[in-house]
């Protein structure tokens, strides 16, 4: 079954705010990935992390690979309306065959009314 | 270069009917996978293939068959559709040895009544 716990499940953002979400696992992963999914489309890769402790940025996005290899977080700085969507973390277990990824349940990012 | 394409985009089936979801990629990727996405569950791996002629089961393979006769195509067959198979199905592909660069198709939304 699903092994990644992603939190929060949903959040509201106001333009200009920084937001943060994280992903935890009971298993050790050797690769962490963060995807964004817009309505009606497939997930798009945002950031990939390959080493424990690694901190990687992609524009306003920053993600870190936890030192224990069991967690990762994603930060979005100065959010804008197009940041709305569902963000998924995914991990690859050590020695997993066939490029198999395990996905978290997603964090739904919505705009504050 | 179309990337990963999936057809149909929407499908409604009656219980017991069979059908094939099509997936094709034009990036010469060795690895292809099928996922299903259900609310709150993230993406779960159904079947995957590490190359033409080679397939293997993922996390939730029951009720689905796959084959990989060419590098480009990876169809998913539902043998006898059940309401529990109502879901959104995504196909993904990646280059050999590079698990992180999985490219997803736009998805097929399937409803089984």
């Amino acid at each position: 079954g699903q092994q990644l716990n992603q939190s929060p499940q949903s959040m509201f953002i106001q333009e200009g705010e920084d937001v943060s979400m994280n992903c935890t696992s009971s298993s050790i992963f050797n690769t962490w990935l963060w995807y964004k999914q817009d309505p009606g489309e497939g997930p798009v890769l945002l950031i990939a992390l390959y080493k424990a402790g690694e901190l990687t940025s992609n524009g306003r996005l920053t993600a870190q690979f936890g030192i224990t290899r069991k967690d990762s977080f994603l930060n979005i700085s100065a959010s804008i309306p197009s940041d709305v969507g569902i963000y998924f973390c995914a991990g690859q277990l050590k020695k997993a065959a066939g490029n198999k990824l395990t996905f978290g349940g997603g964090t739904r990012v919505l705009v504050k009314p | 270069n179309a990337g990963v394409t999936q057809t149909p985009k929407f499908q409604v089936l009656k219980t017991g009917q069979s059908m094939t979801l099509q997936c094709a990629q034009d990036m010469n990727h060795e690895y292809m996978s099928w996922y299903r996405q259900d609310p709150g569950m993230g993406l779960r791996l159904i079947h995957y293939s590490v190359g033409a002629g080679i397939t293997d089961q993922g996390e939730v393979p029951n009720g689905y068959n796959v084959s990989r006769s060419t590098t480009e195509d990876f169809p998913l067959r539902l043998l006898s559709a059940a309401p529990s198979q109502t879901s959104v199905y995504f196909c993904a592909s990646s280059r050999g040895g590079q698990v992180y660069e999985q490219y997803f198709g736009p998805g097929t939304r399937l409803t089984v009544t």
Side-chain angles (χ1 to χ4, degrees):
Chain A
Q2 186 176 310
Q3 300 175 335
L4 296 186
N5 295 308
Q6 209 172 328
S7 66
Q9 288 189 333
S10 62
M11 62 166 57
F12 288 90
I13 62 170
Q14 194 152 35
E15 190 165 354
E17 282 182 340
D18 295 346
V19 299
S20 182
M21 59 195 79
N22 66 69
C23 206
T24 59
S25 168
S26 56
S27 304
I28 291 174
F29 287 97
N30 65 336
T31 303
W32 282 94
L33 310 169
W34 285 92
Y35 285 86
K36 178 175 185 261
Q37 185 178 25
D38 291 323
E41 297 184 13
V44 174
L45 182 64
L46 299 173
I47 292 179
L49 302 158
Y50 311 117
K51 290 195 311 188
E54 180 181 356
L55 187 72
T56 297
S57 294
N58 178 7
R60 294 178 296 104
L61 307 175
T62 302
Q64 184 157 30
F65 191 145
I67 199 74
T68 65
R69 294 180 174 267
K70 292 185 177 180
D71 60 350
S72 177
F73 72 76
L74 175 71
N75 283 347
I76 306 172
S77 63
S79 56
I80 60 178
S82 62
D83 289 333
V84 164
I86 304 177
Y87 292 79
F88 290 99
C89 62
Q92 186 206 22
L93 290 165
K94 288 176 82 68
K95 298 183 181 178
N99 285 1
K100 285 191 287 186
L101 295 176
T102 301
F103 281 83
T107 293
R108 186 179 295 270
V109 175
L110 305 155
V111 175
K112 269 185 194 167
Chain B
N1 191 337
V4 180
T5 58
Q6 291 183 238
T7 56
K9 196 158 177 64
F10 300 95
Q11 182 71 50
V12 179
L13 291 178
K14 288 187 166 43
T15 298
Q17 286 184 317
S18 62
M19 79 157 294
T20 299
L21 308 185
Q22 302 292 344
C23 174
Q25 51 90 10
D26 61 1
M27 298 174 281
N28 203 30
H29 283 171
E30 293 179 17
Y31 292 85
M32 296 186 75
S33 308
W34 275 103
Y35 294 85
R36 60 177 287 172
Q37 184 176 34
D38 302 298
M41 297 290 290
L43 288 97
R44 292 183 292 168
L45 183 65
I46 304 171
H47 285 285
Y48 65 97
S49 168
V50 301
I54 306 169
T55 63
D56 207 343
Q57 295 181 349
E59 183 186 351
V60 287
N62 292 340
Y64 308 95
N65 269 359
V66 292
S67 59
R68 184 96 179 271
S69 55
T70 67
T71 299
E72 294 78 20
D73 301 298
F74 190 42
L76 178 74
R77 279 181 284 278
L78 278 71
L79 309 172
S80 176
S84 61
Q85 293 178 305
T86 294
S87 188
V88 182
Y89 291 85
F90 289 101
C91 178
S93 74
S94 62
R95 285 180 280 175
Q98 297 201 27
V99 62
Y100 39 92
E101 292 182 4
Q102 287 210 12
Y103 296 89
F104 284 82
T108 294
R109 185 176 293 274
L110 175 69
T111 301
V112 182
T113 61

